[in-house]
């Protein structure tokens, strides 16, 4: 048995408090006797699935009101990863309780993002012999049950219809220093509340005229327990239920019920929901007492979200970047959305590795954006084919070419491995002729100290080619360098017996003019210049990086003629690039820089 590589060992899941909780519950058999309290045949019962199969059940519950971002990747990898690790299943559930902000476009984008990250909501049945079961759900599947639960709370004296204005409700809620004030509608009888709630349901009241609230404690130090809202009126068409409903449950009311109906064991969320846990517990315990749900019920656990420097993850601010056309859409490669990271060229393996390395704990903190690039390099170093490219080209003229080889049209075949550590990938072929493209900064008329590339009188090796000696340069009418001049040193081709006869300190990359492929090269950098662009209420737009995107007309070697969209390469000296998944074609190659060979920040 071989020892794991450092990368493989690093990628293994590390112990954390959530794994310890799951292992404790499995050892204690906490959820071994789960059963469903609903009525067989109704939508909620059907959604629960075969509860006796999975050891644990987790869930990833996005609201379909935007595109997922890198912060969501942590929750996805954690919930799906824990379920897979401990023989359970993870549900993908759309918390679609706000019809005014939700669209089918976002539903499809979320499904695609989860698949791209490498996770699936299908589970095997009977060890795989019975096919698969889908664990894709919508909160809207449970609207009937939620309404019945709301009426049960009213009948038990735990909820009331409040007809204060939104402004009055805010004023009476109090703050961290002052207790709230009871609503004047709080003392209504159960019958009155039930009648008014049914009037809300029947469309008799306009938007904002009333809400259903839980009757808890307006003096609670936890503001979330000051009679939280359960239902509000919204005469809006829902993308899944149409116009069936004109009242919709609040997320805080719907979410615990969804967890319970689906048999979730461990409801894992980020720390901003920690203050909501007492409400989560109260609601489920109360509904169990009323006979609508059964024990053992789910429990909520919180972890610190993934915060990455140099990005923002506010949906509102991300939408502002898109709406104001500061970026080129949700999939702009500078965006921290998963669809943006994908188009930039980051791999799902790199994103998952970043999440694992960031750890899972209760303590907040920041992960440097450089960690994502490190994970990307760790993933692609061993598998991305190599190629040469010239980003900022200037022509190199080999003035003794015709004399040396007998013809100005002669080309010398050159070869290089597709990957230096993977011979099974084969070799790539290109050739050197009398002219080549080189990087403009590989030449200096007057070199700085330590500059070992081209300057008059100096010799360098053209990588995989020959040694050349610089003799000068040509300039245009404005004094700009238009070509670099050099001569070939005979019998110095790489791989031949004379290759080491001439020692040089510099080696440069190149692409032959005669077989180079013109390509659009998009050089992306961080979208913001500050590590925390919106910290402390700052205007995040003030720290936009004016150099976050540069587009240059460059050249790549002919081996990339068959590159397909999403193919990834290491351009020698320059970093990792990907053929753009939208714009790249054989007739017009477009490559995005994913990351450099090392971090320059």
């Amino acid at each position: 048995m071989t020892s794991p590589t450092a990368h493989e060992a690093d990628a293994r899941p590390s112990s954390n408090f959530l794994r310890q909780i799951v292992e404790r519950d499995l050892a204690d058999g906490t959820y071994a006797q789960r059963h469903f309290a609903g009525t067989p045949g109704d939508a909620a019962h059907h959604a629960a699935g075969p509860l006796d199969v999975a050891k644990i059940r987790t869930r990833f519950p996005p609201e379909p009101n935007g595109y997922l971002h890198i912060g969501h990747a942590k929750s996805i990898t954690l919930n799906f990863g824990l379920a897979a690790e401990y023989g359970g299943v993870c549900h993908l559930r759309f918390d679609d309780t706000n019809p005014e902000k939700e669209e089918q476009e976002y539903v499809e984008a979320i499904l695609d993002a989860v698949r791209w990250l490498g996770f699936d909501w299908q589970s095997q049945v009977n060890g795989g012999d019975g096919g698969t079961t889908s664990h894709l759900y919508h909160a809207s599947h449970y609207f009937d049950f939620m309404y019945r639960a709301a009426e049960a709370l009213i009948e038990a004296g735990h909820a009331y219809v409040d007809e204060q204005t939104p402004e009055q409700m805010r004023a009476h809620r109090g703050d961290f220093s002052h207790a709230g004030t009871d609503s004047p509608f709080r003392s209504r009888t159960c019958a009155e509340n039930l009648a008014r709630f049914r009037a809300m349901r029947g469309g008799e009241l306009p938007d904002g005229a009333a809400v259903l609230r839980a009757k808890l404690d307006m003096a609670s130090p936890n503001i979330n327990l000051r009679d939280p809202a359960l239902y509000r009126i919204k005469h809006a068409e829902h993308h899944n239920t149409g116009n069936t409903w004109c009242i919709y449950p609040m997320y805080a009311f719907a979410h615990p019920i969804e967890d319970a109906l689906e048999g979730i064991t461990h409801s894992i969320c980020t720390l901003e929901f920690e203050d909501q846990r007492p409400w989560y517990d109260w609601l489920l315990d109360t509904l169990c007492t009323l006979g609508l749900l059964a024990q053992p019920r789910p429990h909520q656990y919180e972890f610190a979200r993934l915060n990455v420097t140099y990005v923002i993850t506010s949906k509102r601010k991300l939408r502002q970047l898109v709406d104001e056309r500061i970026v080129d859409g949700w999939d702009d490669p500078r965006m921290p959305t998963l669809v943006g990271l994908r188009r930039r060229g980051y791999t799902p393996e790199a994103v998952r590795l970043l999440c694992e390395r960031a750890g899972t704990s209760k303590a907040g903190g920041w992960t440097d954006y450089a960690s994502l690039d490190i994970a990307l390099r760790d993933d692609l170093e061993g598998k991305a084919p190599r190629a040469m490219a010239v980003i900022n080209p200037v022509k190199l003229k080999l003035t003794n070419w015709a004399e040396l080889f007998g013809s100005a049209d002669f080309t010398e075949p050159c070869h290089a491995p597709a990957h230096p550590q993977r011979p099974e990938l084969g070799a790539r072929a290109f050739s050197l002729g009398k002219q080549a493209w080189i990087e403009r900064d590989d030449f200096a008329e007057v070199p700085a100290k330590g500059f070992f590339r081209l300057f008059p009188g100096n010799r360098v090796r053209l990588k995989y080619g020959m040694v050349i000696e610089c003799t000068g340069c040509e300039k245009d009418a404005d004094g700009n360098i238009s070509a670099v001049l050099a001569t070939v040193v005979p019998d110095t081709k790489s791989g031949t017996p004379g290759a080491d006869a001439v020692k040089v300190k510099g080696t440069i990359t190149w692409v032959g003019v005669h077989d180079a492929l013109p390509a659009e090269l998009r050089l992306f950098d961080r979208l913001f210049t500050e590590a925390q662009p919106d910290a402390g209420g700052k205007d995040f737009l003030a720290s936009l990086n004016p150099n976050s995107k540069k587009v240059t007309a460059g050249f790549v070697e002919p081996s990339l003629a068959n590159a397909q969209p999403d193919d990834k390469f290491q351009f020698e000296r320059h970093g990792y690039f990907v053929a753009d998944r939208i714009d790249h074609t054989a007739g017009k190659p477009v490559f995005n820089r994913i990351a450099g060979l090392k971090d320059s920040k």
Side-chain angles (χ1 to χ4, degrees):
M1 181 176 179
T2 59
S3 299
T5 65
H7 174 55
E8 289 171 336
D10 186 49
R12 288 175 176 171
S14 57
S15 179
N16 60 58
F17 78 101
L18 290 174
R19 287 192 174 97
Q20 293 167 4
I21 290 170
V22 170
E23 290 169 0
R24 177 203 66 197
D25 289 343
L26 289 174
D28 293 345
T30 303
Y31 296 99
Q33 302 300 320
R34 281 174 295 157
H35 63 281
F36 185 72
T39 303
D42 72 11
H45 185 278
H46 175 72
L51 296 186
D52 58 333
V53 173
K55 294 180 180 179
I56 70 166
R57 284 177 186 261
T58 59
R59 83 292 170 272
F60 173 61
E63 183 180 358
N65 64 351
Y67 283 76
L68 300 183
H69 54 65
I70 194 169
H72 292 113
K74 177 66 175 291
S75 183
I76 294 171
T77 57
L78 187 57
N79 280 286
F80 279 93
L82 281 173
E85 191 177 339
Y86 292 101
V89 296
C90 181
H91 294 192
L92 175 58
R93 179 207 306 147
F94 291 102
D95 266 311
D96 52 351
T97 58
N98 189 353
E100 293 176 327
K101 294 184 178 181
E102 297 158 359
E103 298 179 18
Q104 188 63 28
E105 171 191 353
Y106 300 135
V107 171
E108 298 301 326
I110 290 169
L111 293 172
D112 188 55
V114 174
R115 289 192 194 99
W116 174 70
L117 272 178
F119 298 105
D120 194 0
W121 45 89
Q122 305 283 339
S123 69
Q124 298 293 320
V125 177
N126 296 329
D129 297 333
T132 60
T133 295
S134 174
H135 297 288
L136 176 63
Y137 306 117
H138 295 75
S140 52
H141 289 164
Y142 315 125
F143 281 174
D144 287 335
F145 184 94
M146 291 175 189
Y147 182 81
R148 296 201 306 272
E151 287 204 347
L153 291 174
I154 293 172
E155 292 170 339
H158 295 311
Y160 65 98
V161 173
D162 192 348
E163 297 185 54
Q164 295 181 97
T165 66
E167 293 74 22
Q168 290 171 328
M169 288 182 62
R170 280 192 293 270
H172 291 165
R173 193 183 190 199
D175 54 33
F176 291 108
S177 302
H178 302 89
T181 303
D182 285 356
S183 166
F185 298 96
R186 202 173 192 266
S187 59
R188 276 175 165 167
T189 66
C190 294
E192 288 175 315
N193 284 312
L194 194 59
R196 294 305 288 166
F197 186 52
R198 289 174 177 174
M200 291 170 58
R201 169 70 178 90
E204 300 173 26
L205 302 178
D207 289 5
V211 296
L212 180 68
R213 300 177 70 178
K215 187 183 292 185
L216 295 180
D217 182 5
M218 289 300 293
S220 173
N222 185 341
I223 294 180
N224 295 289
L225 299 181
R226 294 182 185 178
D227 291 8
L230 309 183
Y231 266 90
R232 76 283 210 201
I233 304 170
K234 283 184 179 289
H235 290 84
E237 184 172 348
H238 189 281
H239 72 94
N240 198 21
T241 61
N243 292 305
T244 302
W245 296 89
C246 63
I247 60 171
Y248 293 93
M250 303 297 290
Y251 175 84
F253 175 67
H255 182 76
I257 292 176
E258 296 157 21
D259 283 351
L261 293 179
E262 293 176 13
I264 300 302
T265 58
H266 301 80
S267 183
I268 301 168
C269 54
T270 49
L271 278 177
E272 58 260 40
F273 293 98
E274 186 172 30
D275 289 341
Q276 289 277 4
R277 189 179 351 124
W279 159 252
Y280 184 100
D281 293 341
W282 180 91
L283 178 61
L284 293 188
D285 286 340
T286 301
L287 294 179
C288 286
T289 299
L290 295 175
L292 275 77
L293 297 174
Q295 297 282 4
R297 64 167 179 81
H299 285 79
Q300 176 178 303
Y301 304 96
E302 308 86 18
F303 68 96
R305 62 182 292 177
L306 177 64
N307 294 308
V308 181
T309 58
Y310 297 98
V311 303
I312 58 171
T313 53
S314 160
K315 285 184 180 180
R316 178 182 61 81
K317 293 174 182 177
L318 292 176
R319 183 182 294 276
Q320 183 178 347
L321 291 173
V322 173
D323 291 346
E324 295 183 10
R325 299 190 176 184
I326 296 169
V327 296
D328 301 322
W330 290 98
D331 68 344
D332 187 298
R334 295 165 292 177
M335 288 281 274
T337 53
L338 295 184
V339 68
L341 294 173
R342 181 180 183 180
R343 187 168 182 185
R344 172 80 167 261
Y346 288 106
T347 63
E349 293 86 354
V351 175
R352 296 198 303 267
L353 186 57
L354 171 75
C355 293
E356 182 61 36
R357 288 174 173 175
T360 302
S361 70
K362 285 277 192 178
W366 288 85
T367 296
D368 196 299
Y369 192 95
S371 299
L372 178 58
D373 287 345
I374 292 170
L376 185 281
R377 295 184 200 108
D378 286 346
D379 178 43
L380 290 186
E381 168 63 28
K383 60 187 183 185
R386 279 28 175 186
M388 288 195 293
V390 178
I391 292 176
N392 185 16
V394 65
K395 190 170 289 185
L396 170 69
K397 295 182 177 180
L398 302 175
T399 56
N400 66 336
W401 188 265
E403 176 187 349
L404 191 63
F405 295 107
S407 169
D409 297 328
F410 174 79
T411 58
E412 178 70 19
C414 299
H415 300 85
H419 193 288
Q421 283 82 47
R422 298 185 62 188
E424 72 275 12
L425 295 182
R428 55 193 215 265
F430 41 89
S431 58
L432 179 63
K434 64 181 179 179
Q435 295 183 351
W437 296 110
I438 62 172
E439 293 293 344
R440 188 169 291 275
D441 61 6
D442 277 344
F443 170 77
E445 282 189 280
V446 181
K449 185 178 180 179
F451 185 85
F452 298 115
R453 285 164 282 170
L454 286 171
F455 57 87
N458 193 46
R459 291 180 172 184
V460 302
R461 176 172 294 281
L462 297 178
K463 195 168 190 180
Y464 310 117
M466 306 167 185
V467 174
I468 61 172
E469 181 175 334
C470 181
T471 59
C473 64
E474 296 177 350
K475 297 183 179 180
D476 61 20
D478 296 324
N480 300 311
I481 296 171
S482 57
V484 177
L485 305 177
T487 57
V488 176
V489 179
D491 302 321
T492 57
K493 183 183 176 184
S494 295
T496 67
D500 296 329
V502 177
K503 302 297 182 182
V504 296
K505 292 185 177 180
T507 299
I508 65 173
T509 51
W510 55 278
V511 179
V513 169
H514 61 283
D515 63 1
L517 296 177
E520 179 178 312
L521 302 173
R522 299 172 180 176
L523 310 180
F524 293 106
D525 200 352
R526 296 167 188 179
L527 188 56
F528 297 98
T529 58
E530 292 191 28
Q532 299 178 34
D534 57 352
K538 292 184 296 187
D539 178 9
F540 70 103
L541 297 180
S543 60
L544 282 169
N545 180 5
N547 298 313
S548 62
K549 178 182 179 181
K550 294 180 180 179
V551 179
T552 182
F555 297 94
V556 298
E557 68 176 56
S559 68
L560 299 185
N562 296 320
Q564 299 299 306
D566 247 358
D567 283 353
K568 298 168 182 66
F569 304 90
Q570 184 193 109
F571 286 177
E572 300 186 39
R573 288 181 56 196
H574 294 302
Y576 292 97
F577 283 71
V578 64
D580 188 87
R581 63 192 307 261
I582 304 297
D583 296 334
H584 176 89
T585 63
K588 183 185 176 184
V590 178
F591 294 93
N592 302 330
R593 183 173 63 189
I594 317 169
L597 294 179
K598 62 180 180 178
D599 193 68
S600 60
K601 302 299 179 183

